[in-house]
Each structure stands twice: as structure tokens, then as C-alpha cells.
């Protein structure tokens, strides 16, 4: 069978190659890989700046934004042949920290977790893969290839869950949310905000193309202007920052709103940005009971919540997020940066 592999640490090593088809063991599901989403992490693997192969091997099967069809499932697994599933990415560390030992592997305390397609475990970028039933999540087959959006949706579902948990420390009745960035994470964050009945504003630097229309179709408002101005105008109760860009984060942290909640879910390039007045920032946060939290990855419950959110969404709207569908035979083009792209999928069976 064909699989997409890379040699972590070596730039330009991603390729399609023939490998042996997996055999399910220990009650695993056997899954036919249908599609694979591409994100910044995959581009980092392509650049050789991130990732690690399984022990004793130099190459890693990449891919963590999965979608597949169950070919076989053992009795008692809770799954049956023909169902569409995705595979949860992260696994608890082998000698679990307290968080992993309690099933909260997305909150791992020691960094020894493993991640399929990224860190020490083969991923889902193959025409066949296996997965343990407890790390498989059913997705509505009516979504078609849009089901591959479940991984980024799970990241958003976790961020909303974390915001709810923090908000519950006191009276909590948010009305307005601002999402900075209109990439896949930002658009899915806006979707879930609208599903919660919130007034949602999305800020992005793109002035035309598909993003404003996608935001408008949700009943949200799109802004191609200074984030600080939008934050001041809307008096947002909640902000989800998805860009990782220093100036945008500075605008988000610089706002003055009592009892405000901010989730940082975007990853920047690590470049230094303008300095913040940390003393002033600390004073504002203390005096306004503000909270800023970071959120990464997702637990199984977040994947399940995300699957429910996608099932409730308009199917045509979700399909519009997939701006390119690339055959496996044209793998190199999947990693190209094109201004019009929102989400690129690789068709694993083409």
C-alpha cells in the first residue's frame, strides 16, 4: 500500500512510498484511509524542524488530520464495517504523569506523550491504518471528506471547554466573542460560537475572497481592520486568538474588559515582537479579574463534542472550507502556499 512518509529532521524528505499493510492486533480497527488534512505541523515536518520517528526507525508515516472507513472491527468494539472514523492523535506517555494517568493526556505534564504522525507513532497518511477503539471517533458519513475537519474542530472544542470551565468560577453569561484569524481553526471557532448563540466577530487581514462570505454565512460579522479597534468596539466577553501573530496577541492582551476570558490557540513562528508593558498588563488583569489561557491538542471527549458540532453544521458550509483536494499522486502540490487556501486535503485513494 502507499503511505506518506518523512525522515524527521531532514528537510524535503516527505515522499509517497510503498509499505506493508498493517495487521490489526489487540482488538484494533482496520481502517481504509480516505483523506488527510494538511496544516502547519505537516509543513514543519516537511521543513525538517519538527517530528520524531518510531524507535529504531528513521522514517515516520505522517498525517494527523485523518478520515477513514472501517474495514473490520472486532465484536464488542462499538464500531462496525463501513462507518467513517477519525483517529485521536495524542497518546498518554508510557510512564504516565498524573494528568495522563487520569485520562487527561492532552494536559500531559512531562512532555513524554506520543502523537500519531508527529511524535514517535506512525500517523494516518496511509491507504490503510489501524487504531484502538478507544482512540477512534465516529464521524457522520454524510459529511463526506469534510469529516477530515474533525481534528482541527477538536482543538476548538477543547478551547471552548476550557473557557467554560474557567468562566464557571463565577456568574458566567457571555454574549459576544471575537475570533482573531479566519483560517480553519478560526472559522471552526466561529462556527461553535454561533452554535452557542453568541454574537461572533471574526478579524482577519484578508479583505476579499472566500473568508468574508464564510463568516457571513454563519451569521457572524467579518472585520478586515485593526484587531484592537474591533475588540474595543465589540466589548467582547471572550476572545479566541488563532493566529499566533505577535501584534495580534498584543492587541488581545492589551484590551480592557472586566472579567474577560481569552484563549490562545494559535502558534507563531517564534520571532520576537514588540515588548509589552508587563506591569501594566498585570495590573489590568488583576483589576478586571481577567484570564488568559493557552490550549493545545484535545481529549477524546473534545473529539466527540467536535463530531457533534460538525454533524449540526451546514454541510455545504463545511465543504467550502476545503479549498483544494489533492490526489496522492500530486503530493508535492499539497504543501504549496496559495493565498486562496483555507484547508487542503489529500485524497489517499487517488
Amino acid at each position: 500500500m502507499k503511505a506518506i512518509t518523512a525522515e524527521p529532521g531532514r528537510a524535503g524528505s516527505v515522499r509517497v512510498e510503498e509499505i506493508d499493510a498493517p495487521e490489526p492486533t489487540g482488538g484494533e480497527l482496520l481502517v481504509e484511509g480516505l483523506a488527510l488534512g494538511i496544516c502547519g505541523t505537516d509543513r514543519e515536518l516537511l521543513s525538517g524542524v519538527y517530528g520524531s520517528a518510531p524507535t529504531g526507525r528513521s522514517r515516520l508515516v505522517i498525517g494527523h488530520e485523518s478520515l477513514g472507513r472501517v474495514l473490520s472491527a472486532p465484536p464488542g468494539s462499538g464500531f462496525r464495517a463501513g462507518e467513517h472514523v477519525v483517529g485521536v492523535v495524542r497518546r498518554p506517555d508510557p510512564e504516565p504523569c498524573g494528568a495522563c494517568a487520569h485520562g487527561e493526556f492532552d494536559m500531559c505534564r512531562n512532555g513524554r506523550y506520543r502523537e500519531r504522525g508527529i511524535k514517535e507513532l506512525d500517523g494516518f497518511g496511509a491507504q490503510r491504518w489501524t487504531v484502538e477503539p478507544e482512540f477512534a471517533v465516529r464521524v457522520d458519513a454524510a459529511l463526506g471528506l469534510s469529516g477530515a475537519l474533525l481534528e482541527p474542530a477538536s482543538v476548538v472544542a477543547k478551547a471552548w471547554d476550557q473557557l467554560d470551565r474557567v468562566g464557571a468560577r463565577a456568574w458566567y453569561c457571555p454574549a459576544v466573542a471575537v475570533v482573531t484569524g479566519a483560517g480553519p481553526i478560526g472559522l471552526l471557532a466561529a462556527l461553535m460560537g454561533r452554535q452557542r448563540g453568541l454574537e461572533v466577530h471574526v478579524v482577519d487581514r484578508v479583505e476579499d475572497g472566500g473568508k468574508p462570505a464564510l463568516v457571513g454565512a454563519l451569521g457572524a460579522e467579518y472585520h478586515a481592520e485593526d484587531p484592537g479597534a474591533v475588540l474595543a468596539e465589540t466589548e467582547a466577553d471572550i476572545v479566541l486568538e488563532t493566529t499566533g501573530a505577535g501584534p495580534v496577541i498584543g492587541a488581545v492582551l492589551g484590551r480592557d474588559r472586566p472579567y474577560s476570558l481569552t484563549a490562545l490557540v494559535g502558534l507563531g513562528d517564534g520571532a520576537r515582537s514588540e515588548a509589552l508593558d508587563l506591569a501594566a498588563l498585570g495590573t489590568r488583569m488583576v483589576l478586571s479579574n481577567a484570564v488568559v489561557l493557552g490550549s493545545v491538542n484535545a481529549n477524546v471527549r473534545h473529539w466527540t463534542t467536535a463530531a457533534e458540532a460538525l454533524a449540526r453544521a451546514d454541510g455545504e458550509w463545511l465543504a467550502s472550507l476545503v479549498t483544494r483536494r489533492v490526489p496522492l499522486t500530486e503530493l508535492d502540490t499539497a504543501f504549496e502556499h496559495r493565498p486562496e487556501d483555507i484547508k487542503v486535503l489529500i485524497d489517499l485513494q487517488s
Side-chain angles (χ1 to χ4, degrees):
M1 70 168 189
K2 290 182 174 62
I4 307 169
T5 71
E7 183 178 334
R10 185 164 72 87
S13 64
V14 173
R15 68 180 186 228
V16 177
E17 64 176 306
E18 290 285 341
I19 65 171
D20 293 336
E23 293 290 339
T25 61
E28 293 178 322
L29 311 178
L30 178 63
V31 181
E32 176 186 34
L34 298 177
L36 187 72
I38 296 297
C39 75
T41 299
D42 300 296
R43 292 188 174 91
E44 289 180 343
L45 283 163
L46 180 69
S47 300
V49 300
Y50 193 68
S52 54
T55 302
R57 286 174 33 200
S58 62
R59 298 192 69 82
L60 168 77
V61 176
I62 70 169
H64 60 283
E65 296 188 6
S66 63
L67 176 68
R69 180 187 298 112
V70 177
L71 294 176
S72 66
S77 67
F79 294 88
R80 63 179 185 274
E83 292 184 312
H84 283 197
V85 296
V86 300
V88 173
V89 177
R90 185 171 288 192
R91 298 291 184 275
D93 54 272
E95 297 180 7
C97 67
C100 288
H102 287 82
E104 303 286 346
F105 49 83
D106 57 314
M107 307 292 280
C108 182
R109 298 292 300 274
N110 60 26
R112 296 177 191 151
Y113 59 83
R114 298 158 295 158
E115 291 181 318
R116 293 199 59 167
I118 303 172
K119 185 173 183 281
E120 301 175 17
L121 295 175
D122 281 334
F124 306 107
Q127 293 178 319
R128 297 284 188 279
W129 41 270
T130 58
V131 64
E132 309 94 317
E134 63 269 28
F135 291 111
V137 179
R138 187 179 291 103
V139 62
D140 188 349
L143 294 175
L145 294 188
S146 300
L149 296 168
L150 188 54
E151 192 278 338
S154 75
V155 172
V156 174
K158 177 185 174 179
W160 278 111
D161 175 55
Q162 295 294 304
L163 289 166
D164 285 344
R165 287 167 177 253
V166 174
R169 64 185 174 148
W171 173 81
Y172 180 59
C173 188
V176 181
V178 167
V179 178
T180 53
I185 295 289
L187 290 168
L188 290 168
L191 167 69
M192 293 186 193
R194 290 294 298 142
Q195 288 180 337
R196 289 161 168 258
L198 297 177
E199 176 185 322
V200 176
H201 299 261
V202 179
V203 186
D204 196 275
R205 59 186 178 183
V206 175
E207 296 183 359
D208 50 24
K211 291 180 178 180
L214 284 166
V215 170
L218 290 174
E221 187 170 346
Y222 186 89
H223 304 263
E225 55 190 283
D226 176 62
V230 176
L231 290 164
E233 176 186 348
T234 59
E235 297 186 337
D237 304 301
I238 292 173
V239 175
L240 287 96
E241 203 302 296
T242 76
T243 70
V248 181
I249 294 173
V252 168
L253 297 185
R255 70 196 180 107
D256 187 9
R257 173 69 170 162
Y259 192 13
S260 61
L261 303 181
T262 299
L264 304 178
V265 296
L267 295 175
D269 59 10
R272 290 182 62 86
S273 185
E274 68 278 354
L276 287 173
D277 185 338
L278 296 180
L281 171 62
T283 297
R284 281 198 302 272
M285 291 187 66
V286 170
L287 294 179
S288 60
N289 288 301
V291 174
V292 178
L293 62 90
S295 182
V296 69
N297 203 264
N299 207 290
V300 174
R301 69 176 181 274
H302 304 125
W303 290 76
T304 301
T305 299
E308 294 168 353
L310 294 188
R312 294 198 306 271
D314 180 86
E316 290 186 8
W317 185 88
L318 286 175
S320 296
L321 300 189
V322 180
T323 47
R324 275 199 296 141
R325 177 175 163 181
V326 178
L328 188 58
T329 54
E330 300 175 15
L331 175 66
D332 290 347
T333 66
F335 297 96
E336 295 175 352
H337 285 279
R338 300 185 183 179
E340 69 274 14
D341 278 340
I342 297 177
K343 175 57 66 178
V344 177
L345 296 186
I346 299 173
D347 186 338
L348 293 170
Q349 296 299 320
S350 62

